[in-house]
Amino acid sequence: MALTTNKSVLDWIEDQKKLVTPDRVVWIDDSDEQRESLRAEACSTGEMTKLNQDLLPDCYLHRTAVNDVARVEHRTFICAPTKDDAGPTNNWMDPDEAYKLLYGIAKGSYKGRTMYVIPYSMGPVGSPFSKVGIELTDSIYVVLNMLIMTRVGKDVLDFLGDSDDWVRCLHCKCDIDEEKRYICHFPQDNAIISVNSGYGGNVLLGKKCFALRIASYQGHKEGWQAEHMLILGVENPQGEIHYICGAFPSACGKTNLAMLIPPEGYYKKGYRVWCVGDDIAWIRKGADGRLYAINPENGFFGVAPGTNEKSNYNALASTKQGTIFTNVVHDLDSNTVWWEGLDDNPPVNAVDWKGNPWNGKESNEKGANPNSRFTSPAVNCPCISSEFENPQGVPITAFIFGGRRAKLAPLVYESRDWNHGVFVGAVMASETTAAASGAVGIVRRDPMAMLPFCGYNMADYWQHWIDIGAGLDPEKAPKVFNVNWFRKDDDGNFCWPGFGDNLRVLDWIISRCSGDVEAVETPIGYLPYAEDINIEGIEDEINIESLRSILDVDKQLWREEAAGISEFFEGFSDRLPKALSSELEKLNKNLE
Ligand code: GTP
Ligand code: SPV
Ligand code: MN
C-alpha cells in the first residue's frame, strides 16, 4: 500500500517499476514488525547473520562482496549539463548518456526480487534545514541501514505533502560487477542512480550522494552549506557549550573527535564533549546572524578498525545494540564480532571479512577489512548532544579543517580572517585512506575534505564559502582553524597522542575564539605559543620540546607547498575566486 498520494512520488515509482520490473513492491514504514521480518528474511538467505543476542541485542553481521568494500571515486559521476558545471575535480558524464547507460544496466534487474520504497528525511522531520529523499532498492541490507542512518516512514511523506522537492534515489544491486558499477548524480534533476554495488557510501544514498553531493548543489542555489563535517559541543566547567564543526577527509578522525572523552584533568574540572554529528553538517544563517548547523543523519556509519574502549569508548558503546557490522571478523565461539585494534585478544575460531576460516593467533592476514564499518543508531551514543534533534541546529563558534600529514602542517593554526580561512580549507591536503578504493597513503589535495563529495564546480563552491562569509557580521562569523593530529617523527611514530588529548587543542581554539589567549603571527597564520597548549598529565608522551617541533613553520617546505597550491589552483583557470588567488599571493609574500 502506497504511504502517500503525492503524484510526483507515485508517478516516479511507476516509471521505475516499468524499468526494473520487480515482482513486488514494499513500502518501508519504520514499524518494528516490518524491521523484524526483514531481518529474519535476510538471515534466512545468508545476507545477514544474527549475532549473540545476549551480548549484542538486535545486532547483525553482513559481508559485502570482496570487490565491493569502499567508495569508488573513479566510478562516481556528476552528470551536470556541461563538464564545466561539474568542474575539474569531478568525473563528468553527459546526463542523457548517463541515463541511457544506467537505464540499460538497471533494466529488468529487480526481476524475481522486491522493490523496497524508503521514504526518508535528512534532518529531523519538519526542521527548516531538512530535506526528503525516496530511495528504491532491492537490498534488505540497504533498507536496514537506512532505517538506522536516516528518519524513515510515513511522517516523512506527510511532511513532504504534495511537494515535488525531494531527491529521487534508485539503487540496483545487479551483479555487483565492478566494470558496470556507477554512482551517478543528476543535480539538476534531484536524482541519483547507483548500480552494481552493495557497499555503504555507494548505496546508502541519503549519505554522501544526497547529503553532500546533491545537497552541496542545493545549498549553492539556496544559500546554505552541506559539509563533510562533524559537529561537537565542548562544555566548560561554567556549563557554557561551544559548538565546533570539523572537516577531515574520510578515515581521518571525525567520528573519534566528535565523541572524544576529555583527559582526566579536564574531566575532573567539569569539561564534557557532546556529539551532534560525526560526518555531515548542514549549515545556515540563523535569525541572530550566526551560523547554525544540524546533523542530517540519524546514526553513525563508523570505521571499525582502531575503535576500542580507550580510543573511542563512546563509539564502541554505540555498537552494543541495534548495530549492523559490515566486513568485520565473526567470532564463532561467542557469535560476536572483532576487528584489528579492538583488543589484544583476537578470536581463534573465526571467519574473516571475506568469509574464510580465520585464526587470529596464527593468521598473518588481517581479519577485518581496513574499511569495515558499524552502523549504529545515534541515540545509542552515551555522549549524544541534547541538541541532536533540535530543528534549529546549534550555533557554530569555530570551523576546523584538518588532514593526515606526516610532515609540514603544524598541530594547529588559526586563519587571519574568513577569506584566509576559506583559503586554508581550500588548500587542505591529506594522505589517502582505505575509505575509498585505490592506493593508501598518497598525499592529495582534498579541499574542505569535499574532493569526493562536492556536487558542482569546486571553484564555485569556494566562491560560495566566500559569499557566505561576506554575508556575516565578522564579530559573529566562526573563526577558522587547521589541525593535524598525524605529524610523524623521523622513526614514523605519531608525535601527538591524539584522540581524547585532542581536547587540549580544542581548548586553545576556544580560548582564541573568546579572545583569552595570545598567538604567534607566522607566514601561514596564528600559531599557539607552546606553553599555551596544556600538556599536563601527558608529559611522558610529549614534552614541550617535541610540542614545539610540531608547532613549527618550515619556510622552505611551505614554499614548496605554495608551489603545489599554485599548480592546483591553475586547474580552475579563471573560475578560481579572486579572493583565493590573492590569499596565495599573500602567502608567497609572507614566505619571502
Ligand atoms: P569517515 O567515516 O570515513 O568519514 O572517517 P572519520 O573521519 O570519521 O574517521 P575516524 O574517526 O573513524 O578515524 C579513522 C582512523 O583514524 C581510525 O583508525 C582512528 O583510530 C584514527 N584516528 C582518529 N583520531 C586519531 C588521532 O587523533 N590520532 C591518530 N593517530 N589516529 C586517529
Ligand atoms: C567516508 O568515506 O567518508 C564515509 C564512509 O563516511 S562512506 O559512507 O562510505 O562514504
Ligand atoms: Mn565520511
Side-chain angles (χ1 to χ4, degrees), residues 208 228 250 254 279:
K208 296 305 169 40
H228 191 199
S250 302
K254 290 183 299 301
D279 199 50

